[in-house]
Amino acid sequence: QVQLVESGGGLVQPGGSLRLSCAASGAIFEINAMGWYRQAPGKQREVVATITSGGSPNYADSVKGRFTISRDDAKNTVYLQMNSLKPEDTAVYYCNSAVRTSGAFYYYNHWGQGTQVTVSS
């Protein structure tokens, strides 16, 4: 019923920038928190950044000052602007949204399919 589709990943050199987008679609009534997570090979998935329904962001210490999360509620879309990228940022990036569908009482977490970000020279 709800789909999250990410875009914007790719290969970038160290110090470069990328902008990820994640659009939610389906029978959406309301979206609460949205966020970005990442998983590097051999490591657990970790939170990168989250943003509340009121627009308040939170960041992992490793990306503070380099990444910016934002959202456009009219488009049901969350963005992640990534600057000053480092090789250690290489991972599959997943978006997550807490969505209440039409007629539902609760929010449920939905995940995107993931987009690869590779930082390498």
Side-chain angles (χ1 to χ4, degrees), residues 48-73:
V48 175
T50 60
I51 186 166
T52 66
S53 58
S56 296
N58 281 286
Y59 299 96
D61 288 343
S62 58
V63 307
K64 281 182 181 176
R66 300 188 297 123
F67 291 9
T68 302
I69 188 171
S70 60
R71 60 190 288 168
D72 184 338
D73 290 333

Side-chain angles (χ1 to χ4, degrees), residues 39-44 90-92 116:
Q39 187 167 18
K43 294 187 177 181
Q44 290 187 334
T90 295
V92 178
Q116 177 70 45

